[in-house]
Amino acid sequence: MIAELGLAALWLAAALAGLQLVAGGLGLTTRGAVLGEAVRPVAVVQGLLALIAFACLIYVFAVTDLSVKLVALNSHSMKPLVFKIAGAWGNHEGSMLLWVTVMGLGGAFVALVEKRLPERTMLATLAGQAFVSLGFYAFLLIASNPFERLSPVPMEGNGLNPLLQDLGLAFHPPTLYLGYVGLSIAFSFAIGALVTREVGPAFAKAMRPWVLGAWIFLTVGITAGSYWAYYELGWGGWWFWDPVENASLMPWLAATALLHSCGVLAARNALRAWTIMLGVVAFSMSMIGTFLVRSGILTSVHAFAVDPQRGTFILALLAIYIGGALTLFGLRASTVTEGERFALVSREGALVFNNVMLSAILGIVLFGTLYPLVAEAMGAKVSVGPPYFNPMGALFAVPMLVVLMVGPLLRWRQDKFARIGKGLVIPAMLVAAMALGLVVVGGVALLPFLGLALAVGLAFASLLPLRGRNLRRTPLPIWGMVVAHFGIAVALFGMSSESAFSIEKLVAVRVGEVAQVGPWGVKLDAVEPVAGPNWTAMEARLLVRYGVGGKVLRVLPQSRSFWAPPQQTSESALLTRWNGQFYAVLGGEAPKAEGGDRWQLRLWWKPFAPLIWIGGLMIAFGGFLSLIGRVMADLRRIIAKDKIAWRRERQGR
Amino acid sequence: MSDTEHALNGTKRNLRWALWLPLVLFVGFVALVMVGLYRPADRNVASALVGKPMPQFDLPAALPGRPGLDSKVLANGKPHLVNIFASWCIPCRVEAPQLGALAKAGVPIEGISVRDTTENLHAFLDANGDPFQRIGADDDGKVQLALGSSGVPETYVVDGKGTIVYQHIGEIRPEHLGLLLEKLKEAQR
């Protein structure tokens, strides 16, 4: 019953999205203006219905209703409840349903709270949102119905990919999805603005919180995903330039650029066409990324459903939405480009530079992700990895980081370097001191060298906008910027340190033997079998000690075997100290030929590695502060307006 | 306006064509992935074990009164199919009729049942037919891992000397029967 209820809600939601599109479109014309009234309530109900459908899916997963095909294929009665629930979106159909649910709720939220946009732009925006949703509803209802029944009902389900049986990953996709789909709102705003030609500071101010919100989720999602890959895959790395990872990075790069150009548009009424363009590109990157990893067109270590037929369907959606939006852009953009002028050396100038660099990096990542496809079309199989992405990305990231030290100190419209020069003496000295120190240490490769040196300079420079301010009265968005930029320095330091100073060791030891990795002494104390709810594992007990006088600590890496479906995973063991992280993975039993009863251990010492993710979270937290600040300012403005209106009314009497 | 002031924004008339550039790039992208989607790609993952001898194993009987599976049986001079399956695996039900057809055609099929119980296995074979000559019980999935198999079902064509000739990942569908028979014929030579 519940599955049918969910399907009915989905059909109804799709029908309402159709209504929303028609009413919104006609509402823009003079004769159909009255229809415009219906758009907001319809958008709200559409969002709620999508939510009901998603709730139904969670329910059938929670109770393991095996008569639903999707549950039978992806779940198992023996799974812990939290992973049963996560199973609802840990698959193709479920994640698409999550996608339309978030889109529907986003539209509903816009309909409820957005008061700043001109009414006509608002109608066009909600119609655009409905148009995009419709395609995804069609996709679900025609090509991948999540509520399809199965007959006969199997006795047991097929399980969930054991790699996904991890709390981090269970909640990582919804976070990213909130980001991807949040960008759909920016996309709809851009379309709405192109239709009505109303692009200006008011539009940018209305769009900015949505971009900011989506960007925060993306940042958290990417950070969490990176940490997940780091400890769960047991490879000891934190970024692999895998197509799935790139799929999340590309919209983030576009959204970061959009966030900054939105700021220019809001403050100075410049970069109009460019901001609209980024609004279209950011969501396009979300869709293209999703398409690339779901269509099976690129192979990836992350096992996703591979299905060329579905790929064709999503490609058609892409062609309609992105192609349509870019055509509209080509037709209309020239009518919205007039804006304020500014000098090269100015806040705007620095932000334009940042935008160009981010776009260049985006282009590099996109090209690298697609290149295997180009090569395959020409008959060669290649994979593109760090040797391409790292130096090419750095080529543009390094100048951007340098400008990042200066940009926030510049004034709008026009400025002189001489004015801010003094403030930069200390950061420059820090960079020089760090560089000198690294030369003395020696053996650090160019990229980590640049990263470490720039990180210390940026950490200091990012605090400079606070200089001379009353810290209590400093607006939250300024704090947000400072925290986010400081977070970049922190993350950069972590990344560079990890790549410059990591020590890795692969050893085969008997129980009782000691291995040394960097400052750590590692003793294999025992290897014993342990049982979990739906897996069994060999667990190694390692007694580890930092340096000579350190306390002896215990870590327990596991090699797990899941039986539904059968698969082996490595549970790495981590030990975090203030100056880095110890990382251990238990491999298999070493081959008998090499003496027997030895166990393979892979051990790492990664100085300052946790800063990578701490920095990522700081960046997101900076965005959060900005968002709070802006929303509070909006609320205050609305309240003040109401007060004035109220006073006038009273005086009128 | 000072001399240093530049018009960084504001598109000049002769730059209008640039507004169409994103669309052009996107059309290129669509064309590229169309080629990728419609070209019959080589999606078969070749197992590292193809062309190598079957790993040595000796599995106990999965059902009482029936023989278990010893890898030596696979080197008795005749080609075999080795099917990895489980009662809890849905695609295994889908492929059961095809296995039945192969058995009827005289192909010796050996089963490796992964992480199963006797009762469930009985129920599965009663419902879906029993094409197997022998069924070994791989209770901890060790043999499955040794075979480099990542899931169920999987099917191996093994020649008379015990060498793996072909690996079929996923369920055997009716359209795969021809290919499997051909591989078996090749294995006979």
Side-chain angles (χ1 to χ4, degrees):
Chain A
M1 247 339 264
I2 298 295
E4 280 68 34
L5 180 68
L7 189 59
L10 200 57
W11 275 105
L12 267 179
L16 284 185
L19 181 61
Q20 187 178 329
L21 172 63
V22 172
L26 291 179
L28 286 175
T29 64
T30 37
R31 291 177 68 194
V34 67
L35 274 172
E37 300 280 316
V39 171
R40 283 188 197 239
V42 165
V44 173
V45 178
Q46 190 234 114
L48 288 178
L49 283 168
L51 184 63
I52 290 172
F54 189 59
C56 289
L57 188 70
I58 290 189
Y59 177 81
V60 294
F61 266 89
V63 300
T64 319
D65 181 350
L66 292 168
S67 70
V68 176
K69 189 176 166 192
L70 194 64
V71 179
L73 286 177
N74 294 290
S75 197
H76 194 281
S77 62
M78 293 288 282
K79 233 163 38 169
L81 182 65
V82 58
F83 295 123
K84 282 185 185 171
I85 291 173
W89 58 76
N91 60 75
H92 174 83
E93 286 82 355
S95 62
M96 278 294 152
L97 182 55
L98 175 63
W99 178 289
V100 291
T101 304
V102 179
M103 268 194 83
L105 288 176
F109 200 47
V110 171
L112 280 176
V113 305
E114 188 52 60
K115 302 272 193 299
R116 186 154 19 198
L117 274 188
E119 193 59 25
R120 282 169 54 77
T121 309
M122 181 76 209
L123 286 183
T125 301
L126 284 176
Q129 184 84 1
F131 187 46
V132 178
S133 292
L134 259 183
F136 286 91
Y137 282 123
F139 180 56
L140 273 168
L141 292 169
I142 297 167
S144 42
N145 172 11
F147 297 107
E148 197 179 331
R149 293 280 189 183
L150 185 67
S151 178
V153 176
M155 273 157 21
E156 195 42 273
N158 244 9
L160 169 74
N161 184 347
L163 281 176
L164 304 184
Q165 296 205 22
D166 174 87
L167 270 184
L169 203 70
F171 293 96
H172 160 62
T175 315
L176 271 183
Y177 266 41
L178 285 171
Y180 286 164
V181 184
L183 289 177
S184 79
I185 297 176
F187 180 84
S188 304
F189 268 63
I191 294 190
L194 280 173
V195 168
T196 60
R197 294 192 176 93
E198 297 185 58
V199 182
F203 163 79
K205 281 177 186 158
M207 175 154 93
R208 183 159 55 186
W210 301 101
V211 178
L212 203 47
W215 179 84
I216 293 166
F217 280 115
L218 274 182
T219 310
V220 171
I222 293 171
T223 306
S226 156
Y227 193 63
W228 171 80
Y230 171 76
Y231 77 81
E232 176 68 24
L233 293 181
W235 299 347
W238 54 274
W239 194 263
F240 301 100
W241 296 108
D242 178 271
V244 175
E245 291 174 328
N246 294 349
S248 66
L249 182 65
M250 290 189 290
W252 184 85
L253 289 166
T256 310
L258 175 59
L259 199 57
H260 290 89
S261 79
C262 236
V264 176
L265 182 55
R268 295 276 303 143
N269 197 10
L271 299 186
R272 291 165 148 197
W274 177 250
T275 304
I276 296 284
M277 165 79 195
L278 282 177
V280 172
V281 166
F283 182 59
S284 301
M285 284 302 151
S286 303
M287 284 203 287
I288 287 177
T290 310
F291 164 74
L292 287 178
V293 300
R294 298 248 169 220
S295 61
I297 208 164
L298 293 172
T299 39
S300 149
V301 292
H302 298 62
F304 272 115
V306 169
D307 187 342
Q309 261 171 350
R310 282 176 180 158
T312 310
F313 203 121
I314 309 185
L315 184 62
L317 292 185
L318 286 185
I320 294 169
Y321 295 138
I322 305 179
L326 292 177
T327 307
L328 190 62
F329 180 80
L331 289 172
R332 286 285 173 88
S334 58
T335 64
V336 299
T337 47
E338 275 312 304
E340 299 291 325
R341 302 162 84 87
F342 54 86
L344 196 59
V345 179
S346 64
R347 179 79 72 85
E348 292 98 319
L351 286 169
V352 167
F353 187 79
N354 136 310
N355 262 241
V356 171
M357 294 298 119
L358 283 168
S359 307
I361 297 172
L362 172 59
I364 282 166
V365 176
L366 182 62
F367 183 78
T369 311
L370 290 178
Y371 186 73
L373 213 58
V374 180
E376 215 177 313
M378 291 190 269
K381 279 212 172 195
V382 294
S383 64
V384 180
Y388 161 80
F389 287 108
N390 289 346
M392 288 299 282
L395 198 60
F396 296 95
V398 167
M400 183 169 73
L401 291 166
V402 172
V403 172
L404 180 52
M405 295 189 207
V406 186
L409 305 175
L410 291 170
R411 287 187 182 143
W412 291 107
R413 212 171 82 78
Q414 193 175 5
D415 205 344
K416 295 227 155 49
F417 279 125
R419 190 184 66 80
I420 56 166
K422 270 189 218 156
L424 292 170
V425 171
I426 297 177
M429 277 166 54
L430 282 172
V431 171
M434 188 73 192
L436 199 68
L438 289 172
V439 169
V440 171
V441 172
V444 179
L446 178 65
L447 290 184
F449 178 89
L450 287 174
L452 287 168
L454 285 176
V456 289
L458 179 59
F460 190 88
S462 60
L463 301 177
L464 288 177
L466 292 177
R467 193 178 50 170
R469 279 182 181 272
N470 178 340
L471 292 187
R472 276 207 209 154
R473 290 177 156 246
T474 303
L476 270 183
I478 302 274
W479 274 110
M481 175 186 78
V482 168
V483 171
H485 289 172
F486 190 79
I488 294 175
V490 170
L492 180 65
F493 191 88
M495 294 169 194
S496 309
S497 169
E498 197 268 350
S499 105
F501 305 122
S502 275
I503 299 170
E504 178 185 358
K505 219 171 205 181
L506 177 64
V507 292
V509 286
R510 286 195 183 82
V511 171
E513 280 181 346
V514 176
Q516 195 75 28
V517 51
W520 294 86
V522 183
K523 180 178 171 190
L524 179 61
D525 193 43
V527 182
E528 276 159 4
V530 290
N534 59 347
W535 45 264
T536 52
M538 291 308 285
E539 182 178 87
R541 192 161 69 220
L542 303 180
L543 299 179
V544 300
R545 185 207 289 263
Y546 183 84
V548 185
K551 232 189 340 184
V552 175
L553 299 163
R554 212 167 59 149
V555 293
L556 309 165
Q558 292 177 345
S559 168
R560 273 189 197 172
S561 304
F562 288 80
W563 41 268
Q567 186 170 346
Q568 285 217 312
T569 68
S570 290
E571 294 292 304
S572 54
L574 297 174
L575 206 60
T576 307
R577 271 175 57 92
W578 67 270
N579 63 345
Q581 212 163 32
F582 170 78
Y583 185 126
V585 175
L586 174 66
E589 210 169 348
K592 288 272 186 287
E594 289 163 26
D597 32 287
R598 284 163 182 270
W599 292 86
Q600 286 175 343
L601 288 175
R602 196 174 272 272
L603 308 169
W604 279 275
W605 166 233
K606 293 174 172 291
F608 297 108
L611 292 184
I612 298 169
W613 305 287
I614 292 173
L617 292 180
M618 285 178 80
I619 296 170
F621 183 65
F624 180 70
L625 288 180
S626 277
L627 183 61
I628 296 284
R630 303 226 179 268
V631 170
M632 296 278 279
D634 273 6
L635 282 179
R636 272 199 294 273
R637 207 175 43 92
I638 290 168
I639 291 169
K641 242 190 196 168
D642 283 354
K643 257 189 195 159
I644 293 169
W646 180 71
R647 258 188 224 140
R648 274 198 194 136
E649 204 172 295
R650 217 172 51 164
Q651 280 166 357
R653 261 182 224 160
Chain B
M1 258 183 237
S2 72
D3 293 344
T4 54
E5 210 155 297
H6 292 248
L8 279 172
N9 61 333
T11 316
K12 288 171 194 144
R13 218 157 245 292
N14 56 2
L15 277 176
R16 279 237 171 125
W17 60 270
L19 296 174
W20 293 95
L21 208 59
L23 185 64
V24 172
L25 289 175
F26 178 69
V27 168
F29 166 80
V30 172
L32 176 66
V33 293
M34 290 268 268
V35 172
L37 271 180
Y38 289 107
R39 208 168 34 82
D42 178 20
R43 295 188 195 282
N44 293 330
V45 184
S47 163
L49 282 174
V50 169
K52 295 200 176 142
M54 200 77 176
Q56 297 296 311
F57 60 85
D58 186 4
L59 289 175
L63 294 174
R66 301 264 309 257
L69 187 62
D70 182 339
S71 55
K72 278 175 207 144
V73 173
L74 300 173
N76 67 354
K78 275 193 284 178
H80 286 83
L81 271 192
V82 178
N83 179 245
I84 302 182
F85 73 105
S87 68
W88 42 263
C89 136
I90 294 171
C92 298
R93 279 165 226 217
V94 176
E95 74 172 5
Q98 282 71 256
L99 282 179
L102 285 167
K104 239 184 220 159
V107 177
I109 304 178
E110 315 294 345
I112 294 180
S113 120
V114 180
R115 297 168 201 263
D116 228 325
T117 64
T118 315
E119 295 153 43
N120 287 348
L121 193 55
H122 259 305
F124 176 83
L125 295 177
D126 285 347
N128 300 289
D130 180 358
F132 302 107
Q133 299 203 333
R134 302 174 184 79
I135 305 177
D138 190 14
D139 284 335
D140 48 9
K142 274 239 167 83
V143 171
Q144 197 200 3
L145 286 173
L147 276 166
S149 136
S150 54
V152 275
E154 270 187 34
T155 307
Y156 294 81
V157 178
V158 184
D159 73 6
K161 281 172 253 155
T163 307
I164 297 173
V165 180
Y166 179 70
Q167 176 186 18
H168 182 92
I169 295 170
E171 73 272 13
I172 300 170
R173 299 186 175 201
E175 64 263 31
H176 298 139
L177 282 178
L179 177 67
L180 278 174
L181 285 169
E182 198 174 299
K183 294 282 177 191
L184 281 161
K185 221 183 242 170
E186 273 173 38
Q188 203 142 27
R189 274 181 251 146

